[in-house]
Amino acid sequence: MNAASRYARITGTGSFLPPRRLTNADMVSLLAERGLETSDEWIVERTGIRARHFVEDGVNASDLALQAARQALQAAGREASEIDLIIVATSTPDMVFPSTATILQHKLGAAGCPAFDLQAVCSGFVYALSVADSMIRAGTASKALVVGAEVFSRILDFKDRTTCVLFGDGAGAVVLEASDTPGILATELHADGSHVGILCVPGTVAGGQVLGDPLLKMDGQAVFKLAVGVLEGVARSVLAKAGRTEADVDWLIPHQANIRIMQSTARKLKLDPSRLVVTVDQHGNTSAASVPLALDHAVRSGQVRRGDTVMLEGVGGGFTWGAVLLDY
Ligand code: ACO
């Protein structure tokens, strides 16, 4: 395979949701214990979310990543020992260091290949896929495991009803392999740090203590407005880069945060609503895990088939956003 015709192609997908499932009715009870009101109607109408999954104590991002990774490896027909690059996108790592990717590597029973975390919040998986694509096309890797894994339940403020009903835990993974046919057609990544304050966990660790606030803060309306704008823009530019048009997109798999943001993006791109993959109703916003979770669901349910053109889109804290256009 010469460099000019070296591409990266997804050969297997996997995902995992922890067993503890909380419906909106469960969240109503949980918040009531804290003297706060919410309702199934409010949550469904504003976000499309009906349920989310939370880990039990002692379960970490690497545990969810492991289950998703095993499924993706099995789907690709690969052993962990064959993988030569591991990237885990997460904002809720097991430890400050070492990376969740090295912990995952060890749990998979592998050693030797490079493994690192990538932190771009809800755009993390799209960022990680783009980095793995570049490394495969450059010839520095040939079989990559790319994972998004999050335990956002650990950083939720259950006294803030405007945020705690929105997020959940989970993991999704793909095996990405060198191929002489695409594969990934084009990728595009962006960030604008001037918006740090609208979505953040403003804590840090110093002297063995947490300094500041270790819980998620979000200005929902500011995030909503930014997300709608950037998702349309990055979709158009990644299509132009690949020499494709909106009409070529068989499936749109945006970050699963809010059904209204997702539907608005599909409308602006003039995509039929049936082309939009929606799983946010079943797991809420799982940050970097949301896009690979939705992709795996779409593959296993028979929606996305070999040869289909798929647009993946991420948007999240930073502010960060990006897109990957691929032939599955
Ligand atoms: N239950 C009931 N009422 C609520 C709740 C709740 N859980 N939360 C807020 N409310 C109330 C508010 O107090 C407010 O009441 P008021 O009018 O009496 O003051 C009312 O509902 C409306 O609140 P808004 O914040 O204006 O609601 P909005 O329509 O903007 O919806 C939401 C809020 C769902 C958060 C929306 O802004 C949104 O989805 N934003 C984008 C979020 C997002 O996509 N985040 C992920 C980005 S990815 C990442 O990086 C993590």
Side-chain angles (χ1 to χ4, degrees):
M1 221 180 296
N2 67 46
S5 64
R6 191 175 163 99
Y7 299 96
R9 217 175 132 253
I10 292 176
T11 54
T13 66
S15 63
F16 183 73
L17 291 167
R20 189 173 158 223
R21 181 174 183 268
L22 287 90
T23 62
N24 288 345
D26 295 323
M27 292 305 285
V28 170
S29 311
L30 198 90
L31 293 194
E33 287 167 21
R34 290 160 174 80
L36 296 173
E37 258 182 61
T38 190
S39 66
D40 178 53
E41 295 72 39
W42 192 94
I43 301 171
V44 172
E45 191 185 304
R46 306 279 171 137
T47 72
I49 298 167
R50 293 180 186 277
R52 72 285 295 141
H53 293 245
F54 288 163
V55 290
E56 301 291 347
D57 290 348
V59 176
N60 291 316
S62 68
D63 299 306
L64 309 186
L66 177 64
Q67 302 299 331
R70 279 187 177 145
Q71 261 195 13
L73 287 166
Q74 191 180 29
R78 294 289 179 197
E79 298 295 329
S81 57
E82 295 178 85
I83 294 297
D84 58 11
L85 169 68
I86 299 175
I87 309 178
V88 175
T90 187
S91 300
T92 47
D94 293 21
M95 300 184 188
V96 172
F97 72 79
S99 69
T100 303
T102 58
I103 298 169
L104 171 66
Q105 182 193 48
H106 180 62
K107 286 183 175 174
L108 282 167
C113 77
F116 61 91
D117 287 2
L118 191 153
Q119 213 269 48
V121 203
C122 301
S123 309
F125 182 77
V126 162
Y127 263 64
L129 202 56
S130 175
V131 170
D133 173 54
S134 302
M135 290 179 71
I136 286 176
R137 283 191 294 107
T140 49
S142 60
K143 293 179 190 66
L145 177 63
V146 184
V147 186
E150 302 280 15
V151 286
F152 258 55
S153 59
R154 296 267 156 77
I155 55 167
L156 294 180
D157 181 352
F158 287 97
K159 294 192 205 80
D160 176 9
R161 67 176 182 168
T162 65
T163 55
C164 73
V165 298
L166 305 177
F167 295 89
D169 303 337
V174 301
V175 175
L176 191 70
E177 299 194 34
S179 162
D180 50 15
T181 55
I184 292 181
L185 301 164
T187 71
E188 178 127 342
L189 304 178
H190 296 278
D192 179 352
S194 66
H195 302 291
V196 165
I198 64 169
L199 179 50
C200 58
V201 177
T204 187
V205 178
Q209 306 281 330
V210 174
L211 296 187
D213 192 335
L215 301 177
L216 184 145
K217 308 269 171 271
M218 179 169 75
D219 176 345
Q221 285 183 2
V223 170
F224 195 103
K225 277 185 208 137
L226 265 172
V228 165
V230 298
L231 287 174
E232 182 192 1
V234 78
R236 292 195 190 287
S237 51
V238 83
L239 281 167
K241 223 182 211 178
R244 303 276 182 109
T245 71
E246 292 89 327
D248 297 318
V249 177
D250 294 307
W251 298 101
L252 175 64
I253 308 186
H255 172 44
Q256 308 282 313
N258 183 312
I259 189 74
R260 292 186 294 149
I261 297 175
M262 294 158 62
Q263 286 170 340
S264 150
T265 307
R267 251 191 326 269
K268 287 179 174 178
L269 297 176
K270 299 194 168 54
L271 291 184
D272 190 278
S274 64
R275 301 281 110 190
L276 179 65
V277 174
V278 178
T279 56
V280 68
D281 54 327
Q282 290 308 317
H283 53 64
N285 182 348
T286 57
S287 191
S290 95
V291 169
L293 264 166
L295 172 63
D296 183 51
H297 168 83
V299 167
R300 284 173 197 272
S301 67
Q303 285 178 294
V304 169
R305 291 164 191 268
R306 285 284 165 211
D308 285 356
T309 299
V310 182
M311 165 101 65
L312 309 179
E313 287 195 288
V315 60
F319 220 69
T320 56
W321 66 100
V324 173
L325 188 73
L326 58 92
D327 282 345
Y328 183 71

